[in-house]
Amino acid sequence: MVCAAMVLSILYVGLLGLASYYWISSSSSNHIPASDAGAFSILIPFRNESKNLESLCDSLENQTYESGKWECIFIDDHSEDNGWEIITQRCNSRFRIILNTGIGKKAAIRTGLSIAKFERIAQIDADGLLQPDWLKSFHQKPGFVTGPVQISNPTTWLQYFQVFDLMALMGITYAGIRSGLWYMANGANMVYPRALQQSIDIRSNPYQSGDDMFLVERAKELNIPVSFIKDQNSIVKTAACENVRQLIHQRLRWATKNKAMKSWGLKMALSLVILFNLSLIILPILRFKFIVLWIIKMMADYIYFKIIAPFFNTEIKTLQFIPCSLFYPFFISVISMLSALHLKYEWKGRKLK
């Protein structure tokens, strides 16, 4: 038992060390030869996002990229609010809105692709907020490119928990892509060739989530360059879940596709994080001396966040960090068990499995 605990703690610290090393070893995105990315079609699937659409449209209107080289297509996934009316009022030569011809996000993306003018596709979520140079930052970045995502304007403890969680995920994503050990992406901020999305048969994929992860895996299968753009101008800020129930349903949606991922490096990294956090709960119950694992975890996490946080202009405050760090092992353990039971979850007013 002692040996197992030691191995898990060493591997966990090693994982964070690897992520920290790659994060500080380069101040820019992957070194991939530049090519003219040209024009972009921005796809934004949305469902019941009326409270976020006005702010998103404002941030799109403020883009500094040449006006004739981008368009924005909003795809309404059968919303039950007034999102359609909000976008219709903002429609112009660059903004278009269409109704999803199918059901769900993956079908909405395909619907948007069917009318997109350009071969370079940018994809974001409807609750995102963009920097003025967001689209410009992806210029001359070929292949599949995923960018950083950040929780916007946190005020509550739960929102700060999501800030830390997403920040940690960004570091692991960057390290995986830079090292070539695993490949991840975030559908709230990515750019890719139209042909890449069209090469995926969505009918053979039963998962409601994972349009980003399956896409980056497909890019590697086709030998398309994959990179993470580490540029503060490319940060997309997204809204936090409003309550614990909504957060659990979101993470269940994310977790459902993990078993279908092909990357052994990613599976091993996820398994390590889950097993280590489970040991933090179980081992101290069996023997109190294993409480030292909590000290190891919190010290490793704190150093890791101090390295990554400056990029996101985030200050790591002890009174926010400690409760979030204590809560995380219980949270990820519950999510892991619930996802193993294949429970139904609710997202955007739909019950899914």
Side-chain angles (χ1 to χ4, degrees), residues 45-50 53 75-84 99 348 350:
F46 72 94
R47 175 176 167 81
N48 300 340
E49 294 281 2
S50 59
L53 290 174
I75 309 100
D76 185 357
D77 187 18
H78 310 283
S79 296
E80 298 165 330
D81 57 13
N82 65 331
W84 181 277
L99 183 66
K348 304 298 182 184
R350 289 183 179 138

Side-chain angles (χ1 to χ4, degrees), residues 56-290:
L56 172 59
C57 288
D58 289 341
S59 68
L60 284 164
E61 290 283 10
N62 291 331
Q63 289 301 298
T64 58
Y65 200 61
E66 186 178 339
S67 61
K69 288 193 172 183
W70 64 277
E71 64 168 349
C72 186
I73 302 171
F74 292 86
I75 309 100
D76 185 357
D77 187 18
H78 310 283
S79 296
E80 298 165 330
D81 57 13
N82 65 331
W84 181 277
E85 288 77 12
I86 292 173
I87 300 301
T88 300
Q89 293 172 3
R90 302 290 293 261
C91 282
N92 51 40
S93 60
R94 286 180 296 180
F95 285 18
R96 290 189 285 170
I97 184 170
I98 56 174
L99 183 66
N100 185 7
T101 57
I103 300 293
K105 184 177 180 180
K106 289 193 286 290
I109 293 168
R110 286 302 179 92
T111 302
L113 281 177
S114 68
I115 68 165
K117 294 179 183 177
F118 306 119
E119 294 303 311
R120 198 79 175 130
I121 305 298
Q123 187 179 316
I124 57 175
D125 287 344
D127 60 354
L129 289 175
L130 314 174
Q131 313 296 318
D133 288 336
W134 169 74
L135 196 54
K136 184 183 289 184
S137 69
F138 285 93
H139 185 55
Q140 295 189 340
K141 298 296 188 297
F144 180 100
V145 188
T146 186
V149 182
Q150 177 182 16
I151 298 296
S152 61
N153 303 320
T155 55
T156 67
W157 169 83
L158 184 64
Q159 290 171 346
Y160 276 106
F161 173 78
Q162 294 171 72
V163 168
F164 288 121
D165 191 30
L166 189 54
M167 195 188 305
L169 188 61
M170 292 295 101
I172 296 297
T173 301
Y174 185 68
I177 292 174
R178 285 287 311 279
S179 66
L181 294 174
W182 58 80
Y183 293 89
M184 303 167 64
N186 192 308
N189 190 12
M190 59 186 189
V191 172
Y192 52 85
R194 177 206 294 261
L196 174 62
Q197 183 67 256
Q198 292 173 328
S199 71
I200 295 179
D201 183 5
I202 62 174
R203 294 171 298 179
S204 63
N205 186 339
Y207 300 98
Q208 299 295 330
S209 179
D211 57 286
D212 43 12
M213 300 289 276
F214 293 122
L215 196 62
V216 70
E217 281 196 342
R218 181 61 173 162
K220 289 309 298 177
E221 290 176 357
L222 298 177
N223 293 318
I224 294 173
V226 174
S227 62
F228 182 110
I229 181 170
K230 190 182 171 190
D231 183 336
Q232 288 181 319
N233 290 314
S234 67
I235 295 175
V236 169
K237 296 189 176 183
T238 187
C241 293
E242 298 175 353
N243 51 60
V244 174
R245 180 178 182 275
Q246 190 180 88
L247 179 60
I248 289 175
H249 282 249
Q250 182 195 64
R251 299 312 162 87
L252 277 176
R253 182 172 62 91
W254 290 3
T256 53
K257 87 288 184 179
N258 286 340
K259 60 179 177 291
M261 303 306 296
K262 299 176 183 177
S263 170
W264 281 103
L266 178 58
K267 288 182 177 180
M268 290 176 67
L270 289 173
S271 298
L272 170 60
V273 172
I274 293 170
L275 288 174
F276 181 68
N277 281 278
L278 276 171
S279 72
L280 292 172
I281 300 171
I282 296 172
L283 294 181
I285 296 174
L286 301 177
R287 290 187 185 179
F288 183 74
K289 67 180 181 180
F290 285 113

